[in-house]
């Protein structure tokens, strides 16, 4: 911990922050000095005696040797990845402008989730987007490309396309290919029913590197009762088609509720058996159509059971385990040994002491801090589960959207009520603000899904008759 404090003090020095701002300032052509160094290091085209990059080259080599990393690994797997370079530049730029913070705030999001269309071929009972028919005001292809340009100019590293069903949009692949050419990491969340081998190859060609398919039960009849006739069979076929394609990674997403929590372990074993790369457990949020099935929400005790299963399979190591429940990071620390892997955010985990330190800077809910959402018509929201309008990409500047008062509130984990304000794990978690908004219409309220907020949960149960009836 002392080492982390030394780094914090060093990065708090005004002269160093000025240097970081200079290194990451945009130059003509859109690339900053630091990005040009990263590219040159990845290409193997610089040496210590090249004056312009001599100091960063020697520092990079020093850190590499201290960590035991192979040069080829840094060149190809780290700096050789354009999206990773973008993320590093954006992080260093943010520290230069905002300082090192717990949790870290950013001058622009590292990741954007884009609800690309309202159209969907299913009518799932828990759809946060209430998707179905394509809206008349959805963005044109030119407008979609303009948003990509805006995000690329701010070094956004990742776009996660969602919906609705993105594959139902006629401009999805064109927009994805355009973002690919800007060096972004691209993923897509889909119901999988349209994932034929040909469509998967087309997505891979457009730059999609990870395809996540929703599956809520290992039993076809139960899944279909929730999502529609024949959905399970087509989604499973889609999963197998993705697994068979070597150019993309496959994820399976399960929204965990009282209805299917008993199927978590069978689902995980099924995914492992099918060769799925990642299992993603989504937090149930009572928004959109999910508001009508609020009685399916997990109690704090049931959520702890979910988290313990996730943590156990994460340590087991047979499949990558992710979750949108911010308490997942806390559970990893509470339940695991010091050397065990811990979750560091929506899409990251690692093992060892340094990862536990890193989790205090990047862990928990990223809404408004390192993540935001774009709607099919260009409206911006802090999160796909948080229908709060913070601006429009059609009419507002990016800076106006990103620095909206709601976003500033979300970044301040001290500006909370109840246990979330004082929790020892608030840097690793921070609570799910979307749940606080859905249940209390108050972003500051404690997340009623946490074991430390049982009183808030009891208030929710008492106020919501479907929940009260379900709980008896």
């Amino acid at each position: 911990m002392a080492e982390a404090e030394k780094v914090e003090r060093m990065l708090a020095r005004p002269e160093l922050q000025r240097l970081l701002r200079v290194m990451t300032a945009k130059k003509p052509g859109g690339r900053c000095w630091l990005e040009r160094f990263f590219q040159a290091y990845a290409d193997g085209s610089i040496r210590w005696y090249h004056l312009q990059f001599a100091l960063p080259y020697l520092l990079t080599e020093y850190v590499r040797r201290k960590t035991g990393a192979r040069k080829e690994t840094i060149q190809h797997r780290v700096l050789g990845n354009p999206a990773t370079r973008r993320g590093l530049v954006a992080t260093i730029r943010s520290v230069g402008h905002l300082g090192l913070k717990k949790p870290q705030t950013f001058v622009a999001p590292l990741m954007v989730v884009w609800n690309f269309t309202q159209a969907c071929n299913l009518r799932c009972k828990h759809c946060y987007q209430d998707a179905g028919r394509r809206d008349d005001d959805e963005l044109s292809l030119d407008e979609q490309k303009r948003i990509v340009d805006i995000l690329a100019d701010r070094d956004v590293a990742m776009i996660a396309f969602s919906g609705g069903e993105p594959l139902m949009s006629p401009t999805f692949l064109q927009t994805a290919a355009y973002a690919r050419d800007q060096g972004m990491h691209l993923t897509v969340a889909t119901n999988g029913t349209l994932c034929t081998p040909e469509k998967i190859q087309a997505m891979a060609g457009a730059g999609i590197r990870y395809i996540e398919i929703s599956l809520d039960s290992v039993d076809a009849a139960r899944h279909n009762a929730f999502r529609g006739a024949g959905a399970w069979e087509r989604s499973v076929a889609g999963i197998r088609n993705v697994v068979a394609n070597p150019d993309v990674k496959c994820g399976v997403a399960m929204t965990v509720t009282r209805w299917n929590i008993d199927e978590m372990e069978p689902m995980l074993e099924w995914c492992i058996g099918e060769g799925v790369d990642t299992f993603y457990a989504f937090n149930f949020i009572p928004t959109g159509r999910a508001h009508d099935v609020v009685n399916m929400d997990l109690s704090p005790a049931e959520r702890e059971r979910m988290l313990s299963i996730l943590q156990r399979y994460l340590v087991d190591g047979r499949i990558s385990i992710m979750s949108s429940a911010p308490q997942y990071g806390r559970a990893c620390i509470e339940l695991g040994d010091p050397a065990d892997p811990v979750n560091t955010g929506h899409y990251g985990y690692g093992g060892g002491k340094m990862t536990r330190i890193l989790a205090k800077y990047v862990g928990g809910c990223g809404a408004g801090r390192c993540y935001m959402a774009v709607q099919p018509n260009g409206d911006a929201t802090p999160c796909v589960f948080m229908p709060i309008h913070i601006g429009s990409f059609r009419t507002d500047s990016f800076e106006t959207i990103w620095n909206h008062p709601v976003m500033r509130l979300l970044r301040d984990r001290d500006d909370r009520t109840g246990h979330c304000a004082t929790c020892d794990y608030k840097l690793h978690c921070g609570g799910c603000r979307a749940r606080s908004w859905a249940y209390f219409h108050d972003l500051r309220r404690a997340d009623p899904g946490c074991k430390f907020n049982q009183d808030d949960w009891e208030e929710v149960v008492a106020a919501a008759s479907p929940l009260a009836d379900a709980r008896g």
Side-chain angles (χ1 to χ4, degrees):
M1 194 64 67
E3 287 300 317
E5 291 172 356
K6 288 179 183 177
V7 172
E8 276 188 311
R9 288 197 296 269
M10 179 181 69
L11 291 175
R13 298 179 61 158
E15 60 270 28
L16 181 57
Q17 291 184 7
R18 282 195 297 271
L19 176 60
L20 296 181
R21 291 196 294 271
V22 170
M23 291 168 59
T24 57
K26 288 283 187 179
K27 301 295 183 184
R31 294 206 307 165
C32 67
W33 179 90
L34 187 61
E35 185 178 357
R36 288 187 289 116
F37 163 70
F38 286 158
Q39 179 71 66
Y41 188 95
D43 293 343
S45 59
I46 57 171
R47 300 291 184 272
W48 66 267
Y49 49 79
H50 290 160
L51 185 61
Q52 182 184 10
F53 295 132
L55 179 59
Y57 179 83
L58 292 171
L59 286 173
T60 302
E61 285 295 287
Y62 172 78
V63 171
R64 181 183 66 77
R65 291 190 178 99
K66 292 288 285 186
T67 58
R70 297 175 65 245
K71 186 170 185 177
E72 292 76 12
T73 300
I74 302 298
Q75 285 181 310
H76 303 305
R77 296 185 60 184
V78 181
L79 297 181
N81 185 322
T84 302
R85 294 199 300 269
R86 281 184 168 277
L88 288 171
V89 168
T91 300
I92 294 168
R93 179 182 294 124
S94 297
V95 173
H97 284 272
L98 305 173
L100 186 66
K101 297 181 180 294
K102 295 180 184 177
Q104 186 60 45
T105 54
F106 294 83
V107 294
L110 299 179
M111 177 178 75
V112 168
V113 176
W114 192 340
N115 286 336
F116 203 72
T117 181
Q118 193 72 6
C120 189
N121 59 334
L122 300 182
R123 292 286 291 177
C124 305
K125 292 181 180 179
H126 62 340
C127 179
Y128 64 83
Q129 192 72 4
D130 198 9
R133 186 182 66 85
R134 185 180 188 274
D135 284 342
D136 294 334
D137 64 346
E138 292 189 7
L139 298 164
S140 67
L141 177 60
D142 286 343
E143 289 175 313
Q144 290 161 348
K145 288 182 176 180
R146 177 178 172 272
I147 290 178
V148 171
D149 287 336
I150 291 170
L151 300 180
D153 188 56
R154 277 115 184 129
D155 286 310
V156 172
M158 174 179 171
I159 296 178
F161 294 103
S162 188
E165 174 51 58
L167 293 178
M168 292 187 70
S169 169
T171 59
F172 167 57
L173 291 178
Q174 291 168 277
T175 303
Y178 189 75
R180 172 206 62 201
D181 293 343
Q182 305 273 16
M184 295 178 176
H185 181 73
L186 306 178
T187 72
V188 63
T190 168
N191 61 44
T193 61
L194 304 178
C195 287
T196 63
E198 296 76 19
K199 184 65 73 173
I200 293 165
Q201 193 55 50
M203 285 192 281
I208 302 296
R209 291 292 169 260
Y210 172 77
I211 299 174
E212 186 174 271
I213 295 177
S214 299
L215 200 68
D216 288 319
S217 175
V218 292
D219 181 84
R222 282 171 57 78
H223 179 90
N224 292 344
F226 204 67
R227 291 184 178 261
W232 191 90
E233 293 80 0
R234 289 180 289 157
S235 294
V236 167
I239 290 168
R240 289 169 176 163
N241 289 336
V242 175
V243 170
N245 190 308
D247 297 327
V248 290
K249 297 289 187 181
C250 180
V252 166
M254 181 182 189
T255 300
V256 183
T257 65
R258 297 180 69 226
W259 173 80
N260 64 2
I261 189 171
D262 289 337
E263 295 187 68
M264 275 190 70
E265 292 182 73
M267 177 69 79
L268 279 155
E269 292 298 330
W270 184 89
C271 289
I272 292 167
E274 292 286 338
V276 170
D277 297 290
T278 299
F279 177 82
Y280 201 105
F282 271 99
N283 225 7
F284 176 84
I285 312 292
T287 189
R289 281 201 295 273
H291 185 268
D292 298 330
V293 289
V294 65
N295 61 306
M296 296 173 60
D297 197 2
L298 299 173
S299 69
E302 289 165 331
R303 184 165 280 100
E304 288 303 304
R305 179 185 166 199
M306 176 192 83
L307 297 172
S308 69
I309 293 171
L310 296 177
Q311 188 272 340
R312 179 157 44 85
Y313 272 84
L314 178 67
V315 173
D316 180 64
R318 290 183 292 158
I319 188 171
S320 294
I321 303 290
M322 306 290 183
S323 179
S324 64
Q327 293 88 1
Y328 180 35
R330 181 261 300 165
C332 289
I333 293 172
E334 283 188 324
L335 300 173
D337 294 328
D340 284 343
V342 296
N343 175 258
T344 57
H346 295 304
Y347 285 96
Y349 65 88
K353 178 181 176 182
M354 288 307 296
T355 301
R356 290 171 180 251
I357 294 172
L358 177 66
K360 289 188 176 183
Y361 295 92
V362 300
C365 177
R369 182 176 58 86
C370 60
Y371 149 67
M372 66 176 293
V374 180
Q375 302 304 321
N377 64 354
D379 284 353
T381 61
C383 167
V384 294
F385 298 108
M386 201 182 296
I388 303 174
H389 180 81
I390 57 170
S392 169
F393 277 88
R394 278 175 162 155
T395 59
D396 300 314
S397 71
F398 173 84
E399 283 68 31
T400 298
I401 294 170
W402 184 241
N403 295 304
H404 188 281
V406 166
M407 306 294 263
R408 293 200 299 270
L409 185 156
L410 291 169
R411 293 165 195 164
D412 186 357
R413 291 192 185 165
D414 292 326
D415 191 6
R416 302 289 182 263
T417 63
H419 193 271
C420 281
T422 59
C423 184
D424 290 340
Y425 297 101
K426 70 180 179 179
L427 296 178
H428 301 91
C429 172
C432 177
R433 296 301 104 208
R435 292 175 54 80
S436 298
W437 181 258
Y439 279 121
F440 303 119
H441 219 61
D442 183 351
L443 292 171
R444 295 177 172 86
R445 281 290 299 264
D447 176 359
C450 178
K451 68 177 183 178
F452 297 126
N453 299 325
Q454 185 66 34
D455 290 345
D456 298 274
W457 175 249
E458 297 300 334
E459 179 183 337
V460 164
V461 171
S465 55
L467 267 176
D469 293 341
R471 306 288 164 177

